[in-house]
Each structure stands twice: as structure tokens, then as C-alpha cells.
Amino acid sequence: MTGSTSLYVGEMEAFEIDRDNIIPESVLSRLSSSGLFGPYTGAESAVKILESVRALARRSVGLASVVLINMSVQFLVYHVLGYKETPLLQRILDHGISAVSLTEKGGGTDLARNITVAAEESGGEYCLRGEKVFTSNGLYADYFLVLALDKGEPGLFVSDDRKSMEIEALDLSSFRGAGIARVVYNCARAVKITESKAMKTVLQAINLGRLGYTAIGIGIAEGSLEDALEYTRERKVFERPLIDYQGIQWMLADTYSRLETVKALYRQALQGLPSINPVQAAVLKNEAARLAQEAAWVNIQVHGGRGLEHHSRPERLYRDARALDIGEGAREILKSFIASSLARNPGLATM
Ligand SMILES: Cc1cc2nc3c(=O)[nH]c(=O)nc-3n(C[C@H](O)[C@H](O)[C@H](O)COP(=O)(O)OP(=O)(O)OC[C@H]3O[C@@H](n4cnc5c(N)ncnc54)[C@H](O)[C@@H]3O)c2cc1C
């Protein structure tokens, strides 16, 4: 699972996914046949899938995101909610693709105060009405995990009623192909999966998402370093390969050193699954984002003008790295969370 990305995605496929902002059905089927969408059977599945997310992100962050988001719903169903045997939840764990629909136009940071999507009960089922933005996997999903108000209180719902939704792709410069969409729910049939404390449930599940974004950040850095090494070993300037010059060597050495440091902490976090230390997840996500952004910058730099070609691997990874500071909790919010945890527990600094 951790080996070559060519197992999952070729360079031409990754290029086309980025250019067209969509993943072809044939590629999704291939991922499905590789077991990346299920069955989910516990923490071992989470580790295996996160390692695949890391490998996929070396070339196509869009693909990596689709796999990650689906698994984050499975993780929530299995570990956070405490799995209950209902046909719908079993289907989510077994196969198909799930989307996460939390953020609304009012903003994602202050999620709880921005919910306007409403759930009305009728005959044991619910009908969802309203609009969400930034729903990753929205273009491909069989199941939508939706945060909505039920009699004024936040609740988590699952809907498989696609025909009652308007789904429109967002044209973002990052994470292209990840199926990120605006979704309008026009009385979409849904079931409620939380009895109470929906916001707490979401926040618990978001830690897995942060570990997943760490995997993507590491993957972007690995892909950038792989690409930079290949290019600088071949490209000759003043009759010597670029990699012979100290200025280039130091950039590559810095990237590798930071990559190894972040990876070591990440591997430690994987060993703890399904438990996740929220402070560690926040630290890892911010550090992996910085690592990815620096590594992608170096890769473009060593490629010179060629690195700026639209949809080329260096340029794609550079754009993708940027979103890591926004999705799954923006950098500033995570820093505030880390600082408030330190203030509550100063012993963290010397553990
Ligand atoms: C690639 C990608 C994938 C996503 N996937 C999903 C998904 O699957 N499902 C979903 O529901 N949402 C998704 N989102 C939305 C994401 O959760 C939000 O973008 C994120 O929570 C930030 O919300 P916002 O964009 O509305 O920014 P805002 O909440 O408007 O914040 C704007 C900026 O202000 C900063 N800020 C806010 N408050 C403070 C403060 N108190 N102090 C300092 N700075 C502050 C933030 O850090 C941010 O940089 C995705 C976003 C991206 C980019």
C-alpha cells in the first residue's frame, strides 16, 4: 500500500484530473477494487487507508482527498458513534463513497453559529432543506453526512437521496478533482445518526481528518522531493547536473530533514489509532502543511520556468499544498487551540 503511486495513478491521469477537475469513473472503480472505499473493519483499515492517501497525494491530491473523506465518515460511524447495526450505516462501512457536508456560506470556522440547513421530521424520517458549500466528494457520493438543525439543535444526518439535491462542482485552484461541491438539499430524505452532542461528535471526527491532511501534506512533500531529485540529477547547467551545486543540495537536504521529522511524529500518531491526541493532530496538520508548501516551492524553484507549466506535477502540488492551511480547520484556529491547550496544561511543554 505504501509503494509506488503508479499502482493507483499515472502522471497523465493526474494531469487530466487536475485539468478537468473531475475523476473519471474508471479511476474511481480502480480505487474501489483496491479496497480503498471499504470494507472498513477498524483501526487497521484506518492505518492502511491513510498510508494509501499519503501515496496518492504524491501525484493527485484530488484522489487522495476522495479516499480520505470517505474514510473519515467510516471512522466516525465505526469509532466515534460506536457502530450500531443498521443497514444504512453498514452500507457506509462496506462500500460506496461518502461526502461530508458541514460548512455553509456563513463560514466554516464558526460552524455551530452558521448552520441554516434544517431537518424536519415526518414519519420517522427527516427531510433536509438548505444549502451547503465545500462538500468534499459531493460530485461522487452515494451518502451525504449533513450537519443540520432539528428543532433548533444541531444534529448529524445521513442522506442517500441524491435526486433531491442540486450538486454543483466548485472551481477551486486547490484539490482539483476532489469533487468539492455546493449542495442544495430540496427535502432530501435522511436519517438522524446522533441522539445529542452533534458538534462534539463532529469535532472528535475532525481529528481523523487532521491526521489525513497530515498524510496528504507528507505525500505532497514526498512527491515534490521525488520530482526534484529526478530533475536535478538529469538537468545540466554549466555542464554539470544541477544536483552537484551546493545551493541546490541544501534546499533538498532541508526538505528531506523536515520531511523525516514530520513523518516520525505522524507514524507515532498512527500507532495510537483509533485514539487520536487532538493537540498532536493539530500540531501535525500545521507542520505538514508548512512542510508541503516549502517542498512544493523548492520543486518549482529547481525546475525553473518549466515548474510553472499549468497542471504540471510541480505546479499542481504547489497549488494543492496551499489548501492544507484552510480545510479541516484553518491554521490560525489550530494555533489558538494549541495555545489554549498549553495554557490549560503547561506540563505539555516539558512532557
Ligand atoms: C480543500 C477544502 C476541502 C474542504 N472540504 C470540506 C468538506 O468536505 N466539508 C465541509 O463541510 N467543509 C469543507 N471545507 C470547508 C472548510 O472546513 C472551511 O473552509 C474552513 O473551516 C474555514 O472556513 P471558511 O473557509 O468559511 O473561512 P472563515 O471561517 O471565514 O475564516 C477565514 C479566515 O479567518 C481566519 N480566522 C477565523 N477566525 C479567526 C480567529 N478567531 N482568529 C484568527 N483568525 C481567524 C481563519 O483562520 C481563516 O483563515 C473544505 C475547505 C477546503 C479548502
Side-chain angles (χ1 to χ4, degrees):
M1 279 287 182
T2 53
S4 157
T5 48
S6 60
L7 186 64
Y8 301 111
V9 60
E11 178 55 22
M12 186 47 79
E13 273 173 342
F15 168 92
E16 286 173 0
I17 288 169
D18 185 74
R19 184 194 59 196
D20 303 340
N21 195 22
I22 187 117
I23 300 174
E25 184 55 47
S26 58
V27 177
L28 289 175
S29 306
R30 205 170 69 225
L31 294 186
S32 179
S33 321
S34 309
L36 293 185
F37 296 132
Y40 185 92
T41 53
E44 278 171 24
S45 302
V47 173
K48 191 180 90 170
I49 292 168
L50 281 171
E51 286 297 81
S52 300
V53 165
R54 173 164 74 97
L56 286 169
R58 292 178 200 142
R59 252 180 226 287
S60 173
V61 168
L63 272 185
S65 171
V66 169
V67 172
L68 167 66
I69 296 295
N70 180 63
M71 196 270 274
S72 68
V73 177
Q74 292 173 324
F75 185 91
L76 179 138
V77 165
Y78 195 98
H79 301 286
V80 181
L81 293 177
Y83 169 60
K84 296 175 205 74
E85 225 171 278
T86 71
L88 178 64
L89 295 184
Q90 189 61 56
R91 285 207 305 278
I92 287 177
L93 294 174
D94 282 348
H95 60 82
I97 299 181
S98 295
V100 176
S101 208
L102 311 175
T103 308
E104 302 196 9
K105 271 198 209 155
T109 301
D110 193 4
L111 201 53
R113 282 188 195 78
N114 281 307
I115 314 170
T116 59
V117 171
E120 295 150 26
E121 192 176 6
S122 99
E125 269 201 342
Y126 286 81
C127 142
L128 301 177
R129 282 186 201 279
E131 180 180 334
K132 295 279 186 183
V133 288
F134 293 112
T135 297
S136 292
N137 287 6
L139 293 192
Y140 317 116
D142 307 291
Y143 312 107
F144 290 73
L145 179 77
V146 187
L147 184 65
L149 292 178
D150 174 14
K151 300 189 190 91
E153 284 300 312
L156 269 179
F157 298 82
V158 174
S159 175
D160 60 358
D161 187 13
R162 263 189 91 99
K163 65 179 182 347
S164 306
M165 301 174 199
E166 288 163 48
I167 302 171
E168 179 198 351
L170 297 183
D171 192 15
L172 305 179
S173 60
S174 242
F175 278 53
R176 293 177 66 75
I180 303 175
R182 168 182 166 266
V183 182
V184 179
Y185 297 90
N186 294 319
C187 193
R189 275 181 295 102
V191 294
K192 192 171 184 182
I193 59 168
T194 45
E195 295 308 327
S196 62
K197 300 197 175 106
M199 290 312 299
K200 197 172 164 212
T201 307
V202 167
L203 290 174
Q204 274 176 274
I206 238 170
N207 291 321
L208 188 273
R210 288 176 185 163
L211 220 49
Y213 266 42
T214 304
I216 291 180
I218 292 173
I220 290 175
E222 288 175 341
S224 300
L225 187 57
E226 178 182 64
D227 205 30
L229 284 168
E230 198 178 306
Y231 189 77
T232 55
R233 290 171 74 210
E234 274 176 19
R235 175 80 170 166
K236 286 202 171 132
V237 177
F238 302 123
E239 296 174 357
R240 286 168 62 190
L242 267 180
I243 200 159
D244 282 0
Y245 294 99
Q246 195 178 50
I248 300 287
Q249 289 170 353
W250 285 5
M251 285 199 277
L252 300 177
D254 280 346
T255 303
Y256 178 69
S257 306
R258 176 161 273 168
L259 173 60
E260 287 299 292
T261 313
V262 173
K263 247 197 243 186
L265 192 56
Y266 167 71
R267 287 197 179 116
Q268 200 183 314
L270 285 190
Q271 280 171 11
L273 283 172
S275 328
I276 303 174
N277 175 332
V279 178
Q280 194 183 39
V283 168
L284 268 169
K285 185 193 169 255
N286 274 357
E287 289 307 302
R290 188 149 45 145
L291 160 73
Q293 286 157 16
E294 288 180 6
W297 185 93
V298 165
N299 192 28
I300 290 199
Q301 196 65 14
V302 302
H303 273 77
R306 279 167 196 77
L308 295 172
E309 277 170 22
H310 259 316
H311 312 293
S312 66
R313 189 181 184 191
E315 194 261 354
R316 287 196 314 264
L317 294 177
Y318 187 73
R319 277 187 279 112
D320 288 331
R322 188 64 186 87
L324 295 179
D325 268 334
I326 297 170
E328 301 288 352
R331 170 173 289 278
E332 297 70 35
I333 302 310
L334 298 196
K335 286 209 278 193
S336 297
F337 169 64
I338 295 164
S340 63
S341 305
L342 284 170
R344 271 197 314 276
N345 182 5
L348 281 177
T350 48
M351 262 166 80

